[in-house]
């Protein structure tokens, strides 16, 4: 029996565990007792993270579409074809007619290489990844207000705070090991405010549970800030010493009286006042948020208000405080850090800056790099239907189920001149591809993942990949070589990290020998630097913190006579996104085997719906069949549906309207109609 210490492939908590193997096969998982996040615990997905690895559905050979069906071929044939066809699309339609989608499931090294491949070899900035669907509002909103779009504090800070405001994060189900930290802190006397209209697990332990209308967070936060200022609960020293533009904020929130806020949010005046007093009255306050804040057509405005509330109350730059956007995927923080973004190189260095472009061009041995900002992933589908995009290379994403408005996504993916998908399973997206490349999964390779608290941690190889599957980094390097590029030959991921460190100041001090056992938190600028648990200690990354006021706006699509319900979408504890891994893990699939929709008992009674009835849900974009779950988890008029299930795909319904600044889709609000099937 062999035990290999590695990182969980699911969420951004970044627990480490031992993969237990016997004669080359994984047989189980054991938690790491010394790890600062997992501390001997794991959630149900972590315990089962070995289960999908040897699933018979794993891709074991490259596939090429011939006569309408995908057929196995050699790596030589598949990769030569990838290069020839990408080049053919570019020759016909220009360099920017292809787009590369990177993966928050892949390592830092692999994300760095795919962005290098796009930019240095194929001459385009069309590189992006699922952060666009997730925390792009955070990256934009916090870059403007603080200068850096990452979680400001560390997970250990939950043990050192007086009040926690959880807004739009179902923490115990989606970041379970952070959720249990919060519950522990509450047991020891920390105050908890939950602002989320679902009665999530944390809400049951909260001192205050604000069940405001979906999409009314700007109104709520403006109202809370109005009370804080009016009652003299702000932190004038912090505002004076550390921030700018306070007057504009004070003016913008001045007429958000409790009465007006109550009308806009559907809350009572008393609970809004109580929340303001409880948060501002504490010595140390932490704000935790996730998709309930970011996935709106005004997601960046939501983030601006959160940053403002933290600064107004002096809750930045100390232990037990801060603005803490919980990053979702195991390596979505790393995907962003590595510059798998259309306007940024690794370390958030701007494509628009000629000196930055020169630096990367010199290091990569190319004469010039494109200065034209690339396409955000969420604009790719529209760009393709408008005739600007003809080819996509998708590594480790499944947009057929994860993109908004599935009908539109399907039409686009089916009509591309070239679709290449590199995955570990034949996903719904891969099934549409012209070429499919089989990748090794987390248990079969080395590399690093960066968790939500910016901790860069080492993956270790426990078993061999199935069949001919290869690590993503090896496949990318092979593509580069076949495209005639000499600058992508590496003997191991450790060597790739040395290149990343040399070009990326926040990772400047990262080398593999320093990551044992539990990684380092960036910024870590040099070899002697111990890493940074808390950001913005003495000054903000941008200098002074900037107050950016925001105006309340309604969601793009509201209920009407024809579509009378608000649908909000999200996740469940047992499943991961499009289900490619968790629905192939027997225990997880047994717990949550099918698609469902939550509706309130009052709505159910009115519609004559009972638990487990079959329902047809329709929106302006499509319809799905699903099963009723009658529950007071939701408020009357609001339905909740997870997007994990291909049969009953929530994204057949969702609205692909985007936040104009971050290009995030409004996954959290659309209008639907409910019909009970006979
Ligand atoms: N088990 C599991 N864990 C996961 C994932 C998974 O698929 N499965 N995915 C990971 C990823 S990538 C991410 S991004 C995270 C997401 O983690 P979360 O953001 O915590 O999860 P969601 O279910 O998308 O939405 C969270 C909450 O937002 C609330 N909400 C909806 N609309 C609003 C609103 O207008 N305002 C407010 N304040 N709240 C609102 C919903 O009621 C819901 O409880 O989870 C990560 N962890
Ligand atoms: N309606 C609705 N839709 C949403 C959301 C929502 O709240 N509501 N949330 C959005 C958010 S926050 C996110 S992050 C996205 C997620 O959307 P996606 O990223 O598209 O979803 P995943 O299922 O996580 O896709 C990851 C893929 O990577 C593959 N994979 C795993 N490991 C590896 C590896 O090592 N190498 C390679 N090459 N592939 C690998 C998996 O098999 C899987 O197909 O969904 C978004 N969509
Ligand atoms: S909390 Fe997240 S990282 Fe930890 S075991 Fe669960 S899914 Fe894995
Ligand atoms: Mo996400």
């Amino acid at each position: 029996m062999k035990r290999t210490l590695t990182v969980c492939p699911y969420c951004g908590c970044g627990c480490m565990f031992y993969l237990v193997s016997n004669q080359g096969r994984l047989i189980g998982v054991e938690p790491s007792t010394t790890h600062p996040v997992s501390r001997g615990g794991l959630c149900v997905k972590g315990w089962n993270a070995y289960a999908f690895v040897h699933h018979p559905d794993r891709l074991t050979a490259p596939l090429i579409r011939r006569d309408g069906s995908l057929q196995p071929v050699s790596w030589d044939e598949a990769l030569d074809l990838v290069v020839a066809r990408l080049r053919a699309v570019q020759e016909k339609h220009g360099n920017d007619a292809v787009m590369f989608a990177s993966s928050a499931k892949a390592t830092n090294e692999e994300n760095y290489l795919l962005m290098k491949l796009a930019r240095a070899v194929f001459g385009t900035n069309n590189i992006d990844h699922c952060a666009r669907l997730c925390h792009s509002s955070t990256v934009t909103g916090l870059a403007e207000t603080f200068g850096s779009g990452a979680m400001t504090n560390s997970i250990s800070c939950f043990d050192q705070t007086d009040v926690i405001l959880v807004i739009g994060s179902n923490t115990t189900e989606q970041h379970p090991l952070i959720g249990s930290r919060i519950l522990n802190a509450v047991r020891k006397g920390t105050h908890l405010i939950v602002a989320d209209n679902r009665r999530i697990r944390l809400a049951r332990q909260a001192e205050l549970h604000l069940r405001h209308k979906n999409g009314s967070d700007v109104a709520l936060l403006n109202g809370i800030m109005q009370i804080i200022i009016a009652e003299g609960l702000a932190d004038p020293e912090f505002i004076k010493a550390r921030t700018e533009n306070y007057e504009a904020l004070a003016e913008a929130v001045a007429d958000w009286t409790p009465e007006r806020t109550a009308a806009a949010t559907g809350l009572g005046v008393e609970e809004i006042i109580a929340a303001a007093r409880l948060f501002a009255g504490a010595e140390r306050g932490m704000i935790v948020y996730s998709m309930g804040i970011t996935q709106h057509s005004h997601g960046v405005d939501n983030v601006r208000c959160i940053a403002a509330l933290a600064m107004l109350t002096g809750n930045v730059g100390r232990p037990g405080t801060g603005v803490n956007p919980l990053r979702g995927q195991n390596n979505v923080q790393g995907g962003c850090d590595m510059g798998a973004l259309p306007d940024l190189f690794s370390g958030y260095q701007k494509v628009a800056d000629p000196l930055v472009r020169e630096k990367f061009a010199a290091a990569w041995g190319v004469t010039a790099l494109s200065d034209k900002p690339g396409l955000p992933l969420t604009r790719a589908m529209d760009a393709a239907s408008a005739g600007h995009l003809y080819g996509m290379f998708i590594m480790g994403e499944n947009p057929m189920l994860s993109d908004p408005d599935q009908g539109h996504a399907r039409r686009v993916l089916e009509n591309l001149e070239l679709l290449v998908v590199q995955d570990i399973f034949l996903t719904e997206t891969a099934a549409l591809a012209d070429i499919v490349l089989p990748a090794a999964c987390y248990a079969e390779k080395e590399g690093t993942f960066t968790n939500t608290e910016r901790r860069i941690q080492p993956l270790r190889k426990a078993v061999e990949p199935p069949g001919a599957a290869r690590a993503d980094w090896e496949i990318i390097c092979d593509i580069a070589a076949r495209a005639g590029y000499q600058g992508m030959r590496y003997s191991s991921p450790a060597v790739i990290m040395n290149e990343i460190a040399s070009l990326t100041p926040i990772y400047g001090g990262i080398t593999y020998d320093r990551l044992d056992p539990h990684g380092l938190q960036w910024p870590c600028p040099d070899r002697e630097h111990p890493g940074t648990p808390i950001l913005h200690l003495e000054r903000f990354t941008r200098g002074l913190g900037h107050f950016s006021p925001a105006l309340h706006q309604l969601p793009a699509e509201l209920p009407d006579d024809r579509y009378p319900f608000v649908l909000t979408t999200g996740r469940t504890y047992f499943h991961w996104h499009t289900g490619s891994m968790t629905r192939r893990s027997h225990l997880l699939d047994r717990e949550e085997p099918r698609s469902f929709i939550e509706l309130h008992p009052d709505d159910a009674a009115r519609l004559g719906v009972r638990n487990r009835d079959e329902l047809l849900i329709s929106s302006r974009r499509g319809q799905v069949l699903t099963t009723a779950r009658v529950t007071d988890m939701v408020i009357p008029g609001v339905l909740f549906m997870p997007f994990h299930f291909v049969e009953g795909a929530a994204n057949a319904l969702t609205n692909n309207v985007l936040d104009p600044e971050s290009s995030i889709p409004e996954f959290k609000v659309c209008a639907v109609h409910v019909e009970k099937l006979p």
Side-chain angles (χ1 to χ4, degrees):
M1 293 240 274
K2 195 175 89 180
R3 291 160 86 244
T4 311
L5 182 62
T6 193
V7 191
C8 179
Y10 286 114
C11 91
C13 289
C15 298
M16 286 185 78
F17 54 51
Y18 293 91
L19 280 173
V20 186
S21 57
N22 192 4
Q23 297 182 335
R25 300 219 21 123
L26 297 179
I27 53 170
V29 164
E30 277 176 16
S32 156
T33 46
T34 52
H35 188 261
V37 182
S38 31
R39 300 193 296 186
L42 291 173
C43 82
V44 72
K45 290 178 297 300
W47 281 110
N48 285 283
Y50 71 99
F52 68 84
V53 174
H54 302 302
H55 195 283
D57 290 352
R58 281 292 300 276
L59 289 167
T60 55
L63 307 172
I64 287 180
R65 186 170 300 281
R66 280 203 185 113
D67 310 322
S69 73
L70 287 167
Q71 311 201 346
V73 293
S74 69
W75 274 110
D76 278 337
E77 189 176 350
L79 294 185
D80 282 341
L81 191 68
V82 167
V83 172
R85 295 213 39 201
L86 281 169
R87 290 280 192 230
V89 171
Q90 289 193 316
E91 268 155 33
K92 208 160 134 198
H93 306 287
N95 281 359
D96 295 326
V98 299
M99 163 123 210
F100 293 80
S102 200
S103 178
K105 284 265 162 270
T107 63
N108 284 318
E109 293 73 8
E110 291 161 347
N111 276 282
Y112 172 82
L113 290 186
L114 196 72
M115 90 91 184
K116 181 173 174 181
L117 184 80
R119 292 185 160 128
V121 183
F122 288 95
T124 179
N125 287 312
N126 284 344
I127 169 98
D128 203 355
H129 70 294
C130 70
R132 185 66 51 196
L133 308 168
C134 184
H135 270 294
S136 54
S137 311
T138 299
V139 173
T140 306
L142 292 188
E144 177 184 297
T145 49
F146 293 178
S148 161
M151 183 164 164
T152 64
N153 284 54
S154 287
I155 294 170
S156 61
C157 283
F158 291 108
D159 304 340
Q160 308 163 43
T161 187
D162 303 309
V163 61
I164 305 173
L165 167 61
V166 176
I167 180 163
S169 153
N170 184 3
T171 326
T172 59
E173 292 198 57
Q174 267 60 83
H175 292 89
L177 270 280
I178 294 178
S180 57
R181 281 260 173 143
I182 295 177
L183 287 175
N184 265 336
V186 171
R187 247 169 252 133
K188 290 186 183 145
T190 299
H191 301 284
L192 175 64
I193 308 169
V194 170
D196 182 325
N197 64 32
R198 278 180 90 217
R199 208 160 69 82
I200 55 173
R201 172 77 179 81
L202 284 183
R204 295 172 217 162
Q205 248 56 49
E207 207 158 312
L208 283 169
H209 179 200
L210 308 178
R211 305 186 83 175
H212 57 305
K213 287 184 200 159
N214 298 77
S216 68
D217 295 272
V218 168
L220 174 63
L221 292 162
N222 279 349
I224 287 177
M225 290 192 280
Q226 189 276 340
I227 296 162
I228 290 172
I229 295 172
E231 297 195 355
L233 298 171
D235 183 338
E237 282 94 61
F238 186 91
I239 295 169
K240 186 152 177 287
R242 301 282 311 266
T243 70
E244 63 185 24
N245 210 33
Y246 168 70
E247 295 68 29
L249 178 90
E251 198 187 310
V253 303
D255 51 4
W256 279 96
T257 59
E259 292 70 26
R260 184 178 170 205
T261 308
T265 57
L267 295 171
V269 166
E270 289 309 318
E271 48 185 343
I272 304 168
I273 295 175
R277 288 182 186 157
L278 182 55
F279 187 76
E283 171 62 23
R284 291 160 304 181
M286 286 179 88
I287 307 177
V288 173
Y289 74 88
S290 198
M291 299 300 99
I293 285 296
T294 58
Q295 290 175 333
H296 291 277
S297 53
H298 53 267
V300 179
D301 281 341
N302 284 343
V303 173
R304 290 184 171 114
C305 291
I306 287 192
L309 174 61
M311 291 191 289
L312 184 68
T313 52
N315 276 312
V316 187
R318 288 180 292 137
T321 67
V323 169
N324 299 286
L326 302 183
R327 305 302 301 255
Q329 295 259 34
N330 55 324
N331 197 34
V332 66
Q333 183 64 57
C336 292
D337 299 345
M338 291 302 106
L341 294 168
D343 53 343
L344 299 168
F345 289 97
S346 57
Y348 307 93
Q349 302 173 82
K350 292 193 171 70
V351 166
D353 182 340
L355 292 177
V356 170
R357 288 201 308 276
E358 269 170 41
K359 171 175 109 170
F360 277 90
W364 291 346
V366 294
T367 45
L369 289 164
S370 168
D371 62 352
K372 190 176 159 225
L375 268 178
L377 193 58
T378 44
R379 303 212 182 257
M381 300 294 173
D382 285 339
S385 30
H388 304 305
L389 185 75
Y390 294 87
M392 283 187 86
F393 184 108
I394 301 179
M395 167 172 89
E397 291 197 342
N398 189 8
M400 264 301 293
L401 287 187
S402 59
D403 262 27
D405 192 357
Q406 187 183 42
H408 179 54
R410 178 192 299 278
R411 285 188 295 279
V412 167
L413 291 171
E414 281 175 350
N415 286 318
L416 286 172
E417 275 180 28
L418 174 65
L419 176 62
V420 183
V421 174
Q422 179 167 313
D423 205 294
I424 62 174
F425 290 111
L426 191 72
T427 61
E428 294 71 18
T429 307
L432 300 177
D434 302 292
I435 306 168
V436 177
L437 305 175
C441 79
Y442 81 104
E444 299 152 352
K445 62 187 175 187
E446 287 176 354
T448 55
F449 291 155
T450 304
N451 83 347
T452 186
E453 58 173 2
R454 300 170 274 103
R455 186 183 295 277
I456 304 152
Q457 310 193 102
L459 273 186
R460 293 186 182 84
K461 180 171 172 171
V463 289
E464 290 299 326
R470 295 166 74 191
D472 293 288
W473 67 271
E474 294 174 299
I475 305 172
I476 299 167
C477 291
D478 203 342
I479 293 173
R482 281 163 205 264
Y485 178 65
Q486 302 304 320
M488 253 201 238
R489 294 180 197 279
Y490 308 93
S491 51
S492 72
V495 181
I496 306 172
M497 182 53 84
N498 295 342
E499 178 175 320
I500 295 170
S502 73
L503 288 166
T504 313
I506 55 175
Y507 278 61
I510 304 296
T511 51
Y512 273 32
D513 58 305
R514 295 191 67 200
L515 297 181
D516 195 39
H518 299 138
L520 284 166
Q521 286 174 279
W522 69 255
C524 178
D526 57 61
R527 293 249 344 143
E528 275 64 54
H529 197 284
T532 310
I534 301 178
L535 300 179
H536 319 299
L537 279 179
E538 304 292 327
R539 57 188 290 283
F540 283 91
T541 307
R542 74 180 288 283
L544 291 176
H546 185 81
F547 280 104
S548 295
L551 296 175
H552 171 54
Q553 289 173 62
L554 295 172
E557 190 179 70
L558 290 170
D560 55 19
D561 289 346
R562 184 146 163 54
Y563 299 103
F565 286 94
V566 167
L567 173 73
T568 188
T569 63
R571 328 167 135 70
T572 65
Y573 179 52
F574 294 100
H575 282 301
W576 193 263
H577 295 157
T578 68
S580 64
M581 294 147 77
T582 51
R583 295 199 79 195
R584 291 187 175 88
S585 302
H586 171 70
L587 251 123
L588 300 175
D589 204 43
R590 194 181 69 190
E591 292 297 321
E592 199 79 272
R594 68 180 73 85
S595 155
F596 65 88
I597 192 160
E598 293 177 353
L599 81 165
H600 191 270
D602 293 353
D603 291 327
R606 208 159 35 78
L607 297 168
V609 168
R610 287 182 311 182
N611 225 2
R612 293 174 165 268
D613 279 354
E614 281 278 286
L615 300 179
L616 181 70
I617 315 293
S618 340
S619 78
R620 287 187 175 78
R621 292 149 297 275
Q623 51 185 37
V624 294
L625 275 177
T626 185
T627 319
R629 190 172 281 182
V630 179
T631 166
D632 67 356
M633 279 287 282
V634 287
I635 56 175
V638 176
L639 310 172
F640 169 82
M641 193 175 179
F643 71 103
H644 308 302
F645 303 93
V646 58
E647 66 295 355
N651 279 322
L653 304 166
T654 49
N655 191 358
N656 72 343
V657 61
L658 305 179
D659 179 301
E661 295 170 279
S662 66
S663 300
I664 203 165
E666 190 148 63
F667 283 125
K668 288 294 182 264
V669 187
C670 72
V672 296
H673 172 83
V674 178
E675 189 184 331
K676 186 184 157 182
L677 293 186

